[in-house]
Amino acid sequence: MASIKQLQKRINYHFQNPEFLEQALTHRSVGAKNNERLEFLGDAILNMAVARDLYQRFPKAREGQMSRLRASMVKGKTLAEIAREFELGDYLRLGSGELKSGGFRRESILADAVEAIIGAISLDADLVVAEAKTLEWYESRLRELTLEDVRKDNKTRLQEYLQGKRLALPEYEVISITGEPHCQEFTVQCRLEDGSESIAVGSSRKLAEQKSALALLEQLGIIDD
C-alpha cells in the first residue's frame, strides 16, 4: 500500500492522529472497524460546507436552485472524481473479495472514502478546519458553477407545468426499437391527457423521452425563466 504520508500531502492536510485517516480508508469488507461511521459524519459536513458556500456565492439564487447545485456537487460521481484526483484507490484498505473485484476503482467506494476523510479531519481538528479543507478540494468546481447549471431537464419542466395546471402527468411509450444492440434507436411517444402528443427518436429511451417532452413544451409555448 502507498504511504499515508503521500496521501496527506495530496489532500494537503497532516493528521495529528493518523489512525483517523487509516480508519477513513478502511472499507467495511476488512472488518468491524471501518469507515462507515466517519462517512456518515463527513456526509453531513460536506452538505453543510457546500450549502454555506452556495448561499454566499449566489445571493439571488432560489432555494430550489441552490438545492440542485448542491446535489450536483455532493453526488457520488463528483466525489469519485475528487478521489481519483488524489489517487485515493492506491490507499484504500479492502477485504480480499473487494480487492479481487477491483473495489479500489468502484465509484461508490471512492466516494464513501472521501466523505470518511472529511469526517476524520473533523475529529482530528474541528468542524471549521474540515469545512475549509472540503471547500479547498471543491474550489475549482464551485468557481465554475453558474445558475445555468440548474436548468431543469425537459421531462421535469413538462411535469411541473402540468402539475401547476392540475392536469394528469404525461405518458411515455416506446413505439419501436431498431438497430443492433450496440447501436439502437428508440422511438418514444409522449401523450397528454388532452390528446396532445409528440414523437421523438434517440439513442436511448431516456434521450428519446427528453426529446419528446421538449417537443411538447414547444407546442405548449412554455418558456423557461
Side-chain angles (χ1 to χ4, degrees):
M1 179 181 292
S3 168
I4 290 295
K5 289 184 179 179
Q6 292 177 333
L7 178 57
Q8 291 183 106
K9 187 174 181 180
R10 290 183 187 278
I11 65 176
N12 194 28
Y13 180 79
H14 179 79
F15 278 82
Q16 300 302 311
N17 185 349
E19 289 185 4
F20 285 131
L21 178 56
E22 291 172 2
Q23 184 174 348
L25 297 170
T26 305
H27 188 255
R28 64 176 179 270
S29 60
V30 173
K33 191 173 182 180
N34 55 59
N35 64 7
E36 287 187 325
R37 284 169 55 82
L38 288 174
E39 174 203 340
F40 168 81
L41 183 58
D43 175 72
I45 297 168
L46 170 63
N47 275 273
M48 185 65 232
V50 172
R52 193 196 307 273
D53 182 272
L54 295 174
Y55 183 86
Q56 296 170 343
R57 191 179 296 269
F58 299 104
K60 296 183 179 180
R62 298 187 297 274
E63 184 273 339
Q65 291 176 307
M66 290 189 293
S67 292
R68 288 189 288 276
L69 283 174
R70 181 179 61 182
S72 72
M73 290 290 98
V74 304
K75 65 184 180 181
K77 180 179 180 181
T78 305
L79 283 161
E81 288 174 357
I82 291 173
R84 294 187 182 101
E85 290 169 5
F86 294 148
E87 297 183 7
L88 200 57
D90 294 344
Y91 304 89
L92 294 177
R93 300 183 175 194
L94 306 171
S96 59
E98 287 293 349
L99 279 172
K100 291 177 182 177
S101 63
F104 59 91
R105 291 191 299 266
R106 190 167 304 140
E107 183 175 285
S108 60
I109 291 179
L110 291 170
D112 290 348
V114 173
E115 290 183 330
I117 292 174
I118 294 171
I121 292 174
S122 75
L123 296 180
D124 190 65
D126 54 38
L127 287 173
V128 174
V129 173
E131 283 197 22
K133 190 55 55 178
T134 299
L135 294 178
E136 178 185 309
W137 300 343
Y138 271 88
E139 196 274 332
S140 62
R141 290 173 171 82
L142 289 166
R143 187 176 64 245
E144 293 173 358
L145 283 179
T146 70
L147 292 182
E148 286 297 311
D149 295 319
V150 299
R151 188 180 180 88
K152 297 175 184 176
D153 64 80
N154 298 318
K155 288 181 66 176
T156 300
R157 292 164 67 194
L158 179 59
Q159 177 177 313
E160 291 185 353
Y161 170 81
L162 295 171
Q163 288 176 327
K165 298 289 186 181
R166 297 185 181 278
L167 299 173
L169 297 181
E171 294 182 357
Y172 297 90
E173 179 184 357
V174 177
I175 297 175
S176 67
I177 303 175
T178 59
E180 298 298 321
H182 66 284
C183 187
Q184 292 183 324
E185 279 199 339
F186 294 75
T187 301
V188 169
Q189 180 184 60
C190 180
R191 186 184 302 109
L192 303 186
E193 187 178 34
D194 65 0
S196 301
E197 63 180 42
S198 66
I199 296 177
V201 178
S203 56
S204 68
R205 176 174 180 168
K206 181 178 179 180
L207 181 58
E209 288 179 349
Q210 290 288 351
K211 286 184 176 180
S212 62
L214 174 60
L216 274 176
L217 286 168
E218 292 173 344
Q219 287 181 38
L220 294 168
I222 298 170
I223 299 175
D224 188 18
D225 64 355

